[in-house]
């Protein structure tokens, strides 16, 4: 029988309620034992819905769990995840893992030193059809390049994802982690990035991958409802190979991420294709791109 791992949830917002809490409460071998949030009423309400313990103090919250799942902005996640890792707690992290390279580096260092297991929820990489596509892509090999475009609408006034950090950082940091991690998995490690901006939060990236392939990315969260869409393909001598559509349901892929984290935590393994180190590596690409966008904006 699978031993039970107690998890605590950090965050009580929309994403915590529709994704993390239901998944933590319904995944075999996992118990949603505790909730921490900055709003005591929201924390009590979410905890009560799952018979979990609400916490206002992080130390007491961490003391009662084996692992922590995060549904807070990345700059809030990173320092709490460092505290959790120092306390030996396994980490189910959200993308991006941090908003600065220094914060990401610290998290990687502390997680490594304390030998905690980690998985970053790069959603696409945990969707069953996308995994099958990636397995096929890897088996075929010989790709020359790729393209990914994700036109989102999270910055619409009516969107539950219209949150302060997204408004400030835009699609580069919100959708960028998804598409960069996917192209990385399909075409190999990213070795360089060139970035330019379009209107609103539109970001264009040219990526070079280890071994020669190159790819292009366009992301925005300001595309509007009618323009919403996700399209990714890779190409080579064998032709063009379209990725499946991005699924909108977060529960199935998040359950896979949590299950794999639990498996690693129980067996003492810390490495995972989407672990905190990979989260740091993807974040470095975004940080490099951001510097170029900032430099262009300043000239
Ligand atoms: N993998 C995916 O597909 C996916 C999809 C959606 C979101 N996400 C990730 O999930 C994370 C949260 O998503 P979101 O931005 O949409 O937020 P959200 O679901 O609106 O939740 C934000 C939560 O963080 C809390 N919070 C905000 N600032 C805080 C602070 N300074 N200290 C403590 N708590 C704070 C909020 O508290 P209040 O309620 O008190 O404001 C709320 O509980 C992000 O990293 C995002 O990238 C991932």
């Amino acid at each position: 029988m699978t031993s039970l791992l107690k998890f605590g949830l950090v965050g009580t917002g929309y994403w915590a309620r529709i994704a993390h809490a239901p998944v933590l409460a319904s995944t075999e071998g996992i118990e949603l034992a505790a909730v921490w949030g900055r709003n005591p009423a929201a924390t009590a309400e979410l905890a009560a819905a799952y018979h979990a313990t609400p916490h206002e103090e992080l130390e007491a919250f961490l003391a009662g769990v084996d692992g922590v799942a995060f549904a807070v902005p990345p700059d809030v996640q990173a320092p709490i995840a460092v505290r959790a890792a120092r306390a030996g707690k396994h980490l189910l992290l959200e993308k991006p893992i941090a908003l600065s390279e220094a914060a990401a580096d610290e998290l990687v260092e502390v997680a490594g030193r304390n030998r905690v297991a980690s998985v970053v929820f790069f959603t696409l990489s945990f969707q069953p059809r996308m995994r099958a596509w990636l397995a096929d892509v890897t088996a075929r090999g010989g790709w020359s390049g790729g393209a990914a475009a994700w036109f989102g609408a999270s910055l619409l006034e009516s969107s539950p994802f219209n949150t302060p950090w997204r408004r400030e950082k835009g699609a580069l940091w919100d959708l960028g982690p998804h598409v960069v991690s996917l192209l990385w998995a399909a075409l190999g490690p990213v070795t360089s990035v060139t970035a330019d901006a379009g209107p609103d939060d539109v970001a264009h990236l040219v990526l070079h991958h280890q071994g020669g392939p190159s790819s292009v990315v366009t992301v925005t969260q300001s595309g509007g409802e009618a323009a919403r869409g996700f399209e990714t393909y890779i190409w080579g001598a064998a032709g063009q190979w379209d990725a499946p559509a991005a699924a909108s349901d977060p529960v199935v892929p998040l359950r896979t991420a949590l299950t794999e984290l639990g498996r690693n935590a129980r067996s003492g393994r810390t490495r995972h294709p989407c672990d905190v180190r990979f989260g740091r590596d993807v974040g470095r690409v975004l940080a490099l791109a951001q510097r170029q966008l900032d430099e262009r904006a300043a000239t």
Side-chain angles (χ1 to χ4, degrees), residues 29 38 67 73 183 207 213 267 272 281 287 289:
R38 68 174 174 180
L183 289 168
L207 305 174
S267 67
H272 183 282
D281 294 345

Side-chain angles (χ1 to χ4, degrees), residues 220-262:
T220 179
Q221 283 289 23
S222 307
E225 269 310 328
R228 276 172 77 131
F230 165 86
E231 195 182 354
T232 295
Y233 64 85
I234 57 169
W235 62 275
Q240 183 177 319
W241 211 241
D242 291 343
S248 57
D249 165 47
V251 169
V252 168
L254 187 55
R255 178 168 293 126
T256 300
L258 179 59
T259 300
E260 292 178 0
L261 175 66

